[in-house]
Amino acid sequence: MHEVTFLQDLAIVMIVAGLVTVLFHRLKQPVVLGYIIAGVIIGPHTPPFPLIADEEAIRTLSELGVILLLFSLGLEFSLRKLREVGATALIAALSAIVLMMWAGYALGSAFGWSRMDSIFLGAILSISSTTIVVKTLEDQGKTKEKFARLIFGILIVEDILAIIMIALLSGFATTGSFTPADLGMTVLKLASFLVTLLLVGLIIVPRLLEYVAKFKSNEMLLVSVLGLCFGVSLLAAKLNYSVALGAFLIGAIIAEARQIHRIEALMEPVRDMFSAVFFVSIGLLINPALIWEHAVPIVIITAVVLVGQAITCSFGTFVAGNDMRTSLRVGMGLAQIGEFSFIIASLGLSLNVTSKFIYPIAVAVSGLTALISPYLVRSSDKLVDLFDRKAPSPLKTYLNLYTGWVSKLGETGRQNVAFRLVRKLSWQIGLNMMLVVAVFLLAAFIEQRRLLPWLQLAGGENTVKALLWLLAMLVSLPVLIAVFRKLQALAMLLSEVGVTRATAGEQTQVFRAVLSNTILTVSCGALLLLILLLSSTILPSRNVLLVLVLVLIAGAILLQRSSVRIYAKAQVALRETLAQAPDPHHAKQDRPMPKLLRDAVLRTIPITPSSPAAGKMIGELRIRSESGASVVGIQREPASIINPGPDEDLRPGDELLLLGTTEQLDAASSLLASPSAGAEVASGTAPSS
């Protein structure tokens, strides 16, 4: 009977969601709003009786919706885009979180709530809803605009900061305070998880998908991609991180694969189904009676969220150097709260440190802001235009001067060669050390969880620690050698910049050598201290440790060249992945074809062994975006391919059939072969419509 009940609930959810969605499309209203209202209609709080029997099952499906929605966002938002908006995202997210936490705490105090209720209210109001924002921007077709990319970056940073916030709130709720050591360890663990997942994923995942794609099976590729998605989400959950964060990260990694266009097309219907269930489940939580009971605080808190998030996010985006128009659109797009607010409110209840009314208020405010958010995004252009018309000229001049000054400051920093080299080396050292941290944290996790019981029986706890420490050091050896070499280069560079001939005269080389050796010695000492701290939970007895150190020194001497080669190969593989990955947007038509096909021409172009197109995918060549022509067929023995996809490989001996105007086909010919290789075979006109 449970199976029948579940099927009945799922059928009701999808039928009502479908009907309401059709109605909202006809009324030209946001589809997210339709899903939430559908949840209210079938929810347990709407008379005369609830239509859903098993809400838990629906909420479980909604979790899948969150995972798939964030995974799809990662597919569209590659790591290159994340790097482009990284500084803005960090500044805007920090500004919004700090200011909204203060506003929430002040608001709770004004209501006369307890100190802990006010602290949790501030945390609840500080994080925007990733899922609601993503779906709203998708429905309105704005995901490719600049302000949308900034919004996505801010949401990612907010999700990362929310994980840190939850960990700190847990400690603060139980002890009444938190120490800098707790904060440092939380940040260190999270950073090591992110860096390790991204670096290892970028080396392995694109090559794995390249192998799977060779079988030309959509089913095999889809199942493999979903396996990676849910597997990494599970890994994040096991490490007490957000499943949404894990889903987004693996999506961003897969976005660097050559098959990204094909994967996006396969994922879209799966994502749409489960994301619909997610938004319906939000509606299930909304209790109209409870909203009426706490109407005053809910309305006030909702207004604070809408106005506060819009102002704080706009302020942070502008401070980071973006123009006022873009900043206002970003702020309007982030004026809501969502899934992390539920998690924070649930945390307070589970720890028995907040009042019971906090959670339903959070749900009600989230529901109301989710209802209003699509309208804010839709009206953001009108608000920006109004600001341009009404704002005083001196104010607009000042704002433009500030934006130009920040942009010029960034360009000056990028043009400084020494600054760029120092920053590059520092980033590389930092990322490598995060890998080392991850290795030792994994070893400590294995030891604490007693995951090697057979070794416990064989030699006891000391043997387990000895083996884990030695393995951790050996695995980290290639990275540590690379870090040492980069520290040498950084020390030499800093000494060159810090000691000039104008200040040191004839003693320049001496002072440079002293400074370089000092920097290197201090850095190596700090590195050794960090390794000792990381090893503290898995260090064996003193005598065993001395033996292991001797073994490690001998291994480092013998394996130095091999370690350098391993690191170099991994570095080359990472660069190849980032270099070969196509932009997901290149598969789509950037230059539209004429509305009428009266000027359309078909032309065949042969692919010779010396052609630059031989061995490449259609999507990599960017034929449509570069020339406007479209590949409509491939003549190949023993069978031709009609309307090939962007992931189709081109081989010597193929003949491409292209469609476009004469000018477009000439441009395409220069990309693929010499113009003489193409022969116009037909032309035609389409009847006007």
Side-chain angles (χ1 to χ4, degrees):
M1 289 299 295
H2 175 73
E3 293 81 2
V4 175
T5 301
F6 172 72
L7 181 60
Q8 173 183 300
D9 290 345
L10 184 59
I12 291 172
V13 167
M14 300 311 297
I15 290 172
V16 176
L19 293 174
V20 174
T21 303
V22 171
L23 175 63
F24 273 68
H25 269 297
R26 293 294 300 271
L27 297 175
K28 297 183 179 180
Q29 299 302 311
V31 68
V32 172
L33 182 61
Y35 289 144
I36 295 174
I37 291 179
V40 176
I41 292 173
I42 65 177
H45 310 295
T46 303
F49 53 84
L51 298 177
I52 299 296
D54 189 356
E55 291 182 50
E56 282 302 316
I58 299 301
R59 290 198 182 98
T60 300
L61 290 178
S62 74
E63 288 293 322
L64 298 180
V66 173
I67 292 172
L68 293 171
L69 194 60
L70 268 294
F71 177 69
S72 299
L73 171 61
L75 292 179
E76 291 191 4
F77 199 80
S78 70
L79 296 172
R80 294 184 184 90
K81 298 189 185 74
L82 183 59
R83 184 177 61 182
E84 291 170 5
V85 302
T88 297
L90 181 60
I91 295 172
L94 283 173
S95 301
I97 288 176
V98 171
L99 294 175
M100 288 305 297
M101 284 198 70
W102 171 81
Y105 181 82
L107 191 60
S109 301
F111 287 147
W113 294 355
S114 68
R115 177 167 172 259
M116 197 63 73
D117 284 345
S118 301
I119 291 174
F120 271 80
L121 178 64
I124 288 169
L125 303 189
S126 64
I127 306 295
S128 299
S129 172
T130 303
T131 48
I132 293 173
V133 175
V134 172
K135 188 63 176 176
T136 299
L137 292 175
E138 282 184 346
D139 291 341
Q140 298 185 18
K142 296 183 177 181
T143 57
K144 306 301 186 293
E145 298 186 29
K146 177 185 177 182
F147 86 97
R149 294 199 298 271
L150 290 172
I151 285 176
F152 293 156
I154 293 170
L155 289 170
I156 295 159
V157 175
E158 282 192 348
D159 287 352
I160 294 172
L161 295 177
I163 295 169
I164 299 174
M165 186 190 305
I166 290 171
L168 295 179
L169 284 174
S170 300
F172 182 77
T174 53
T175 64
S177 63
F178 61 84
T179 64
D182 294 334
L183 175 61
M185 184 54 67
T186 300
V187 173
L188 186 64
K189 288 181 179 179
L190 178 59
S192 63
F193 168 72
L194 296 176
V195 170
T196 303
L197 179 60
L198 289 175
L199 294 182
V200 175
L202 286 172
I203 293 172
I204 296 176
V205 171
R207 286 158 181 77
L208 174 63
L209 295 179
E210 181 84 19
Y211 172 76
V212 173
K214 291 180 180 179
F215 294 96
K216 302 293 182 182
S217 169
N218 286 340
E219 177 185 6
M220 188 180 299
L221 184 60
L222 177 61
V223 172
S224 300
V225 167
L226 287 175
L228 289 170
C229 171
F230 290 119
V232 174
S233 299
L234 175 63
L235 175 64
K238 290 291 187 182
L239 296 175
N240 297 321
Y241 299 132
S242 166
V243 294
L245 178 64
F248 172 81
L249 290 175
I250 189 62
I253 291 169
I254 292 176
E256 305 300 333
R258 298 177 69 195
Q259 297 75 24
I260 180 60
H261 313 310
R262 186 173 163 194
I263 292 170
E264 284 183 316
L266 293 173
M267 283 298 305
E268 187 173 358
V270 181
R271 176 206 64 194
D272 289 344
M273 174 191 168
F274 284 102
S275 62
V277 177
F278 167 75
F279 289 106
V280 170
S281 70
I282 291 180
L284 293 175
L285 296 173
I286 297 177
N287 185 349
L290 197 60
I291 293 177
W292 178 256
E293 180 181 349
H294 299 281
V296 174
I298 287 174
V299 170
I300 294 175
I301 294 172
T302 300
V304 169
V305 170
L306 294 174
V307 177
Q309 286 280 15
I311 292 175
T312 56
C313 292
S314 298
F315 171 76
T317 306
F318 176 75
V319 168
N322 294 275
D323 60 272
M324 200 63 204
R325 183 180 188 87
T326 301
S327 301
L328 286 174
R329 297 181 79 188
V330 169
M332 296 285 280
L334 291 169
Q336 74 292 119
I337 60 174
E339 52 279 359
F340 269 111
S341 301
F342 300 158
I343 295 172
I344 294 171
S346 299
L347 177 66
L349 280 180
S350 63
L351 296 175
N352 293 320
V353 295
T354 59
S355 303
K356 293 184 179 180
F357 58 79
I358 293 292
Y359 184 82
I361 286 179
V363 171
V365 173
S366 175
L368 290 174
T369 54
L371 294 175
I372 299 171
S373 182
Y375 296 104
L376 290 178
V377 175
R378 180 180 290 182
S379 61
S380 60
D381 291 335
K382 295 180 181 178
L383 178 66
V384 171
D385 292 337
L386 179 65
F387 177 83
D388 288 338
R389 292 196 307 269
K390 300 296 184 181
S393 296
L395 175 61
K396 291 192 289 186
T397 301
Y398 168 77
L399 296 177
N400 291 332
L401 286 173
Y402 174 81
T403 303
W405 174 74
V406 174
S407 300
K408 185 177 180 180
L409 188 66
E411 291 176 1
T412 303
R414 287 189 292 269
Q415 291 171 358
N416 189 314
V417 177
F419 173 78
R420 289 207 315 267
L421 288 174
V422 170
R423 186 177 63 179
K424 181 179 179 181
L425 286 170
S426 300
W427 268 106
Q428 290 176 346
I429 292 170
L431 293 176
N432 284 322
M433 289 312 303
M434 286 298 102
L435 290 175
V436 175
V437 170
V439 170
F440 279 93
L441 289 178
L442 177 61
F445 179 81
I446 293 173
E447 196 277 331
Q448 291 171 0
R449 297 296 180 91
R450 301 292 191 267
L451 298 181
L452 300 175
W454 55 272
L455 201 56
Q456 293 273 3
L457 296 175
E461 184 176 351
N462 199 48
T463 302
V464 175
K465 289 183 175 181
L467 180 61
L468 287 174
W469 186 83
L470 183 60
L471 287 175
M473 289 300 299
L474 289 175
V475 171
S476 304
L477 189 59
V479 180
L480 291 173
I481 292 175
V483 168
F484 178 76
R485 297 173 67 173
K486 293 180 189 300
L487 284 173
Q488 284 182 311
L490 181 61
M492 292 178 61
L493 180 61
L494 291 175
S495 65
E496 291 281 340
V497 174
V499 180
T500 62
R501 293 192 178 277
T503 57
E506 297 180 356
Q507 301 296 319
T508 299
Q509 295 301 326
V510 176
F511 283 121
R512 283 178 177 175
V514 171
L515 180 59
S516 176
N517 291 331
T518 301
I519 294 174
L520 182 61
T521 302
V522 172
S523 300
C524 290
L527 179 62
L528 179 61
L529 180 61
L530 176 61
I531 292 175
L532 289 175
L533 290 174
L534 293 173
S535 306
S536 59
T537 58
I538 57 172
L539 281 178
S541 62
R542 184 181 304 175
N543 294 335
V544 175
L545 181 61
L546 290 175
V547 175
L548 293 179
V549 169
L550 294 176
V551 172
L552 187 63
I553 293 173
I557 296 173
L558 295 174
L559 300 176
Q560 182 177 2
R561 292 186 178 180
S562 300
S563 298
V564 171
R565 284 199 299 269
I566 292 172
Y567 184 86
K569 288 181 179 179
Q571 203 169 31
V572 169
L574 184 61
R575 288 175 179 171
E576 287 179 351
T577 297
L578 295 174
Q580 76 174 0
D583 191 320
H585 303 181
H586 288 161
K588 300 180 181 179
Q589 184 174 355
D590 294 329
R591 187 176 302 174
M593 293 287 287
K595 293 182 179 179
L596 302 178
L597 297 179
R598 63 174 63 97
D599 297 324
V601 177
L602 288 171
R603 177 180 297 177
T604 57
I605 298 179
I607 302 298
T608 63
S610 59
S611 171
K616 292 187 177 180
M617 290 182 178
I618 294 176
E620 289 181 290
L621 296 172
R622 300 163 53 187
I623 298 173
R624 180 175 291 182
S625 62
E626 295 291 340
S627 67
S630 300
V631 179
V632 296
I634 301 177
Q635 176 65 43
R636 176 185 296 165
E637 297 298 336
S640 300
I641 302 173
I642 304 299
N643 194 23
D647 60 329
E648 188 66 46
D649 289 307
L650 299 182
R651 307 171 187 173
D654 287 349
E655 289 190 353
L656 297 189
L657 182 61
L658 301 181
L659 175 67
T661 64
T662 302
E663 293 79 9
Q664 291 171 339
L665 294 175
D666 289 342
S669 296
S670 64
L671 292 174
L672 301 171
S674 61
S676 61
E680 186 177 303
V681 296
S683 67
T685 58
S688 59
S689 55

